[in-house]
Amino acid sequence: MTEAPPRALILAAGRGERMRPLSDTCPKPLLEVGGKPLIAWQIERLVAAGFDRIVINVAHLASTIEARLGDGSRYGARLRYSREAAPLEVAGGIATALPLLGDGVVLVVSADVYADYDYVALRGRLQAMEATAAAPHLHMVMVPNPAYHPGGDFVLDAGALSLDGGPRLTFGNIALYRTALFRELPRGEKIKILPCYQDWIGRGWASGELFTGRWANVGTPGELAQLDALLRLHHHTAQRP
């Protein structure tokens, strides 16, 4: 039997309230840093790691995103769109996109996150998850706590996630999910993901890893400008003889 190609979902439906006024006329995923849209950095890294079949959920200024990215051929990707009349939050967005994602394990990332993380590292883990029905049913990439989130989210201990018992790390919005986790959730409804995480982690269903490389959850115009300056400096430095 031919192995199914790995699939990915990019979450791009949010309104980007903290990014206003920039996000009033340009969807947040299309705001540029380092000379390209935020979402383009994600698409290119996913394709480079073999995740070339990508679903993007869209709501705010959806037609602008679809017109800019098209079918993904310019990136070497096959893009499909899960359209939401209004943003459905993370769990609602994933549940609504299930018909496009199919069964198995899918990599889900946020369009407004920049990370130097190499998605190739998740290929083997995805295959291992698909080879068994046993836990873990999700694998979350954690990062050191940023200044705006000093309390973190979950505890990572020896590759397993828990709700308490030690210092917390921040979820980096990069994760593998078994799509069966969302099968019973209604489609087209707004559903927050945090209660789901708490339930799944409490059941011992989640594994995790720590990523300490460059990572940024871009939420405000100031953070956008800071990341843009950093990437342009890095590119300029790399171009020096």
Side-chain angles (χ1 to χ4, degrees):
M1 185 172 60
T2 303
E3 182 180 299
R7 293 151 296 158
L9 169 65
I10 300 178
L11 300 171
R15 176 65 178 78
E17 291 291 344
R18 294 192 303 136
M19 193 61 76
R20 299 183 70 181
L22 299 180
S23 59
D24 288 339
T25 55
C26 178
K28 186 177 177 183
L30 293 185
L31 294 173
E32 294 198 357
V33 290
K36 67 183 73 172
L38 276 166
I39 196 170
W41 289 96
Q42 289 285 31
I43 294 172
E44 290 176 357
R45 281 203 165 87
L46 288 169
V47 170
F51 292 88
D52 60 349
R53 301 195 180 192
I54 303 170
V55 175
I56 302 174
N57 76 328
V58 291
H60 175 61
L61 299 176
S63 60
T64 304
I65 294 176
E66 293 186 39
R68 178 69 176 273
L69 301 179
D71 64 1
S73 56
R74 77 185 71 178
Y75 300 103
R78 300 180 187 180
L79 299 184
R80 301 179 72 184
Y81 298 92
S82 178
R83 300 174 181 87
E84 304 172 9
L88 300 177
E89 298 281 357
V90 173
I94 297 174
T96 301
L98 284 186
L100 298 177
L101 296 171
D103 296 330
V105 179
V106 64
L107 171 59
V108 180
V109 302
S110 294
D112 55 1
V113 162
Y114 175 90
D116 287 340
Y117 185 85
D118 186 357
Y119 293 127
V120 170
L122 293 177
R123 287 285 299 272
R125 190 173 293 274
L126 182 151
Q127 292 166 357
M129 288 174 65
E130 289 198 325
T132 177
H137 303 313
L138 67 156
H139 178 78
M140 305 172 75
V141 176
M142 310 298 290
V143 298
N145 298 330
Y148 61 81
H149 191 54
D153 296 309
F154 310 116
V155 176
L156 177 63
D157 183 18
L161 288 171
S162 61
L163 299 175
D164 48 44
R168 294 171 180 260
L169 296 168
T170 293
F171 174 44
N173 294 323
I174 301 169
L176 294 171
Y177 299 88
R178 202 179 299 278
T179 57
L181 292 170
F182 302 90
R183 192 176 297 146
E184 302 303 318
L185 297 181
R187 296 173 190 163
E189 293 188 16
K190 190 173 183 178
I191 309 171
K192 292 184 178 295
I193 194 73
L194 180 57
C196 298
Y197 288 153
Q198 292 170 336
D199 178 34
W200 299 334
I201 292 173
R203 292 171 182 259
W205 287 358
S207 62
E209 64 181 88
L210 175 62
F211 174 65
T212 58
R214 183 179 294 141
W215 177 92
N217 189 347
V218 186
T220 66
E223 291 168 351
L224 186 78
Q226 185 178 32
L227 178 60
D228 179 61
L230 182 65
L231 293 177
R232 291 183 182 278
L233 176 62
H234 176 75
H235 176 74
H236 178 72
T237 303
Q239 295 299 310
R240 288 180 179 174

